[in-house]
Amino acid sequence: MTERKLPRPRPEMAAFQPYRTPPVKADVRIQANEWPEPNPASLYITPRELDGVLLNRYPGRGDELREVLSARWGTRPDQLIFGNGSNELLLQVFLVFGGHGRKTLLFHPTYSMHGRLTVLAGGTVVEEMVGLPYDLTKERALAAMAKARPEIVVFTTPNNPTGNTIDGDLILEVAERYPETLVLVDEAYSDFAGKTLVPRMNEYPNMVISKTFSKVLAAAGLRVGALIVHPELMSYFTAAALPYNVSTLTLAVATRIARDEASIQRRLALAATERDRVYSALRRVSAIDVFPSVTNFILFRLHEGKPADVHARFVGESVLIRDISMWPGCQGCLRASLGTPPENDRFIAALDAVFAAPVVRR
Ligand SMILES: Cc1ncc(COP(=O)(O)O)c(C=O)c1O
C-alpha cells in the first residue's frame, strides 16, 4: 500500500513541541506563577448584571477598561491594545515586527514563549546566554545588540524564571541607540517589583510594554493582557489585530478586576511577606542555591542530582513545582511559585522530606 500523502508544515514547525506540561495531581499547585487564592467571577459580576452582557453582538473596544487602565498606568487610552492573555499580544508583536528573515534577540534564561512565538511567526531567535545569577550588564546588552542587529529585542523585567529585574537605564539606552529595533519589555511581574518603564514610553517610540491580568490581578483564567504602544507605531498593530479578540464577558469582568485597587495592594503585601518566608526556608536547604526574587516565584538550583527526582519527591508530598532544568541556562534548576500561606507552609514542610534523602547523582 502506498503511503498516504499529508500536508506538511514549515520545517521548523514540524519539530515544534507543545508548551503544555503533563497534568499532575497535587494539593499544592505552585508551578505556573499564578495567583494562588481562589478568585471567583461572581465576586465581580452578579447574575443580574450578566443580563446586560449580550452575547449575540460582537464585543466593543473595551472603552471602560481602557479608561481604568490608562489612568492606572498614566497613558492615553488609545495607546492600549487588549489581548486574550498577554501571550496573544506577544505573538502579535512577533507577527508584525518579526517574521521571515528577521531576528529576535533574547537574553537567556528567560520566558520560553518569546522564542517560541518568534519561530511561530517565522522569525529567527538569537540567544545571548546571561546565565545565573541573571545579571545583564549594559556592556553585555549593547555588545549583543551590535553583533545581532535584531529587528526585535526582548527584556523581561522582572525576569521569569530568575525573579530579578533588569536595570531600566540599560533598556532605555538600548532603545535610544537602536531606534529601528522594536524593544519589547515584558512587564508581566512589574507590579510585584513596584517598577515600570511605562512613564518613559513617550521618549522612546520604539518601545512597547506588555502587561497581564494573570499574576497580581489574580485572573490567569480570564485571559487578558494589554500591550502599551506609542501612538506612532499604533497603526501597524491595529492593522494586524484580530477583530473582536476579547469577549464582552471578559471585558466586563476585567474592568471590575482592574478597578479593585485595594485587592491589588493587599495581594502585593501578601506576596512580599510570603516571598520572604519561603526564600528564608529555601536558604536553609544546604543542597541548593536560591536566587533572590522580587516576584511571586523563586528559582533554585541543585548542587547535584537530578531535578526530575527532586520534582517527583515534591509531587510525593503533593506539592507541584516546575522543573525548568531543560530551559537554556537553567541546568539543575527548579522554580516554585508562591502559594497561599497554608500552601507555603506545606511547601516549607516538604523541604525536609524532599532534601533529607541524598539527591541521586546524575
Ligand atoms: C514573563 C511572562 N510573560 C507573559 C506571561 C503570559 O501571560 P498571559 O497569561 O498573560 O498570557 C507569563 C506567564 O507565565 C510570563 O511569565
Side-chain angles (χ1 to χ4, degrees):
M1 215 174 77
T2 54
E3 213 177 292
R4 204 155 67 136
K5 289 206 167 122
L6 285 171
R8 288 183 192 282
R10 301 194 312 260
E12 67 270 28
M13 293 315 299
F16 223 54
Q17 296 297 315
Y19 175 82
R20 280 194 172 276
T21 46
V24 176
K25 283 210 165 79
D27 295 342
V28 178
R29 307 184 65 79
I30 46 173
Q31 84 287 16
N33 297 352
E34 300 148 320
W35 187 258
E37 296 171 306
N39 192 22
S42 56
L43 278 182
Y44 303 96
I45 192 152
T46 63
R48 218 194 137 88
E49 285 167 327
L50 281 175
D51 290 342
V53 177
L54 298 181
L55 301 179
N56 55 310
R57 299 289 180 192
Y58 281 115
R61 282 171 25 95
D63 287 338
E64 251 187 298
L65 182 59
R66 216 167 270 286
E67 287 301 326
V68 178
L69 291 178
S70 57
R72 182 155 205 264
W73 294 326
T75 63
R76 281 170 34 181
D78 61 3
Q79 276 184 269
L80 306 184
I81 308 174
F82 299 133
N84 189 34
S86 63
N87 279 332
E88 186 182 74
L89 299 166
L90 299 174
L91 175 60
Q92 204 183 333
V93 170
F94 296 116
L95 286 171
V96 176
F97 287 90
H100 185 67
R102 297 167 73 97
K103 288 171 280 185
T104 302
L105 175 60
L106 302 177
F107 296 99
H108 281 302
T110 194
Y111 181 48
S112 58
M113 286 306 290
H114 299 140
R116 294 174 61 81
L117 296 174
T118 295
V119 174
L120 201 55
T124 307
V125 177
V126 179
E127 304 187 320
E128 179 71 13
M129 181 54 69
V130 179
L132 298 173
Y134 193 72
D135 180 18
L136 179 58
T137 61
K138 202 177 272 187
E139 294 68 35
R140 182 88 186 255
L142 290 172
M145 286 296 294
K147 193 165 166 218
R149 289 283 174 169
E151 279 71 23
I152 303 172
V153 59
V154 187
F155 296 100
T156 303
T157 181
N159 186 43
N160 174 13
T162 57
N164 61 330
T165 53
I166 297 173
D167 175 25
D169 287 341
L170 172 166
I171 299 172
L172 296 180
E173 186 151 344
V174 168
E176 173 87 42
R177 290 219 204 167
Y178 292 91
E180 289 179 48
T181 297
L182 189 86
V183 178
L184 168 60
V185 184
D186 185 333
E187 288 196 353
Y189 302 95
S190 65
D191 288 301
F192 294 109
K195 282 186 190 165
T196 173
L197 286 177
V198 175
R200 308 299 304 274
M201 286 194 67
N202 287 349
E203 302 157 62
Y204 303 92
N206 55 330
M207 185 164 77
V208 295
I209 299 186
S210 62
K211 302 274 196 182
T212 181
F213 275 52
S214 303
K215 311 301 172 185
V216 79
L217 295 180
L222 191 62
R223 308 307 298 133
V224 185
L227 189 72
I228 313 173
V229 176
H230 193 277
E232 278 190 56
L233 292 191
M234 197 49 150
S235 62
Y236 300 119
F237 285 98
T238 38
L242 291 176
Y244 314 120
N245 60 327
V246 181
S247 82
T248 309
L249 194 53
T250 302
L251 289 170
V253 177
T255 305
R256 283 145 203 243
I257 289 177
R259 276 209 188 107
D260 186 4
E261 192 61 39
S263 294
I264 299 171
Q265 293 310 320
R266 183 193 64 80
R267 290 187 208 114
L268 287 174
L270 182 62
T273 29
E274 289 302 295
R275 186 170 59 230
D276 286 352
R277 208 159 70 81
V278 173
Y279 181 74
S280 307
L282 283 166
R283 288 270 304 205
R284 289 194 289 273
V285 178
S286 58
I288 60 174
D289 287 324
V290 193
F291 297 94
S293 167
V294 293
T295 63
N296 63 331
F297 57 86
I298 300 178
L299 179 71
F300 58 94
R301 180 171 57 190
L302 308 180
H303 292 162
E304 57 178 18
K306 287 194 182 139
D309 293 342
V310 170
H311 184 265
R313 280 195 221 151
F314 272 111
V315 172
E317 303 295 314
S318 210
V319 174
L320 181 62
I321 63 170
R322 186 88 184 259
D323 176 0
I324 56 154
S325 56
M326 65 302 290
W327 289 23
C330 290
Q331 209 190 4
C333 289
L334 297 123
R335 190 194 67 194
S337 317
L338 300 176
T340 61
E343 286 174 338
N344 294 331
D345 290 342
R346 291 266 310 259
F347 173 71
I348 291 168
L351 292 174
D352 282 343
V354 168
F355 290 105
V359 176
V360 185
R361 270 188 184 278
R362 257 182 278 223

